[in-house]
Amino acid sequence: MGSDSLSILNATKATPIPVQEEDPPNQSTALLSFNTDSSSGPPQKPTTTIVFISLLLITCIALAAAGAFAFLFFSSPSSQTPSTAHIESTARPLSKLRHPVVILISSDGFRFGYQFKTATPNIGRLIANGTEAEHGLIPVFPTLTFPNHYSIVTGLYPAYHGIINNRFADPHTGEIFTMASHEPKWWLGEPLWETVVNHGLKAATYFWPGSEVKKGSWNCPLKFCRNYNGSVPFEERVDTVLGYFDLPSSEIPVFMTLYFEDPDHQGHQVGPDDPEITDAVARIDRMIGRLIQGLEKRGVFDDVTIIMVGDHGMVGTCDKKLIFLDDLAPWIEIPGDWVQSHTPLLAIRPPPGVSPSDVVAKMNEGLKSGKVDNGKNLRVFLKEELPSRLHYVASDRIPPIIGLVEEGFKVEQKRSKRQECGGAHGYDNAFFSMRTIFIGHGPEFARGQKIPSFENVQIYNLVTSILKIQGAPNNGTQSFPQSILLSSP
């Protein structure tokens, strides 16, 4: 990343993580109280006798109760079941690893809530014994695969790391970025694997957008870097990662990525509510179980940090929720070659000489007229007028005109007879349907801890904090790891 890009990295305000309040101190209170002062005249003998007998009986009962309690206490097993409400206060020291190790797992398109579609005992184990974003992880905008995966590993919003869409054009050269583009010029920022190598440590990537790019100190080493191949069985991916733990201690990578295409693949075909999603989620859970069992077999499960995330959610779409740009012709014609992406993120770059502000004004006039089918479900902005919470302006790669589509709607150039129902993502990250999962399990994550939702740009600092290395400048906040990790001050 150039100095100009670094200078505009502005830290964002993290979602407040409430500080867990300590239990109030136990205060001894009297169960019985007697008024020994007499204000009603001299004491009478019958009353004194009754009080004496009462005290004697109470003393005997108390002694008997104490004896019973002592008997139960000393006769019970020495290992008592800890309170489920208890959260460990310190991180456990490593026993079999020379250095903290983080495995970062992505299940593409794992919408928050999918974990409740079917029995997920292995994911549930990580949640029960770790830390979970209780209402899901918030992706960055646009909620697409490549921008979000690269935000997770750089801590940067897309405007700063350069991957502003899954496909886009360089406004200066006209070159097109696709998901197969591995030239370093596209990929700004410093991903975690590069940060790790900069500190003289080893990293391994089993698929992750950007991991094949050779830049800085990262050369995608053959032994620890896999070129993407979606046909590789999930089991083989897990087993390869497990194999790293069979290396000599000094050779074990301290940072590893593991990527699964599901359930995004099924979500696009059938939407988020189809039984195919249930099957895909169950398969992901089996892969997590395979990983856990392999780590347990090697005796390192308790030492390894597992962070499981998704990149975005999913929402159902259907033909009745379509908006056609050709329907705007009475107000303005939008040629197809102006449009860099149609849906769910509409991105338009008019040619020189055409005022973007005029285009926006005429498009919105037509959309609000009531004469364009579903027009009210598309809002068009100059990029600098987008809501600031989207952080989608500080790059000339972002076209000047951006359209935000309502949840579940799609934009197409012209009408056709094609019938289509499925699923999509890429929408405003404020939509709950775009949320995904965050689960952290390991020696520095509290057991059973629930935290509020947060944006995925915070994960970079979280990983560097666990690995105890200095990270590169990013959009996350330094205080975030301190809010949820046990060893942080």
Side-chain angles (χ1 to χ4, degrees), residues 265-276:
H265 173 71
Q266 294 83 358
H268 281 290
Q269 293 181 332
V270 298
D273 301 316
D274 192 272
E276 284 190 36

Side-chain angles (χ1 to χ4, degrees), residues 10-12 14 154-157 457-458 461 473-480:
N10 49 355
T12 58
T154 61
L156 299 172
Y157 291 110
V457 293
Q458 303 288 3
N461 287 339
N474 62 85
N475 294 125
T477 55
Q478 293 298 323
S479 61
F480 179 78

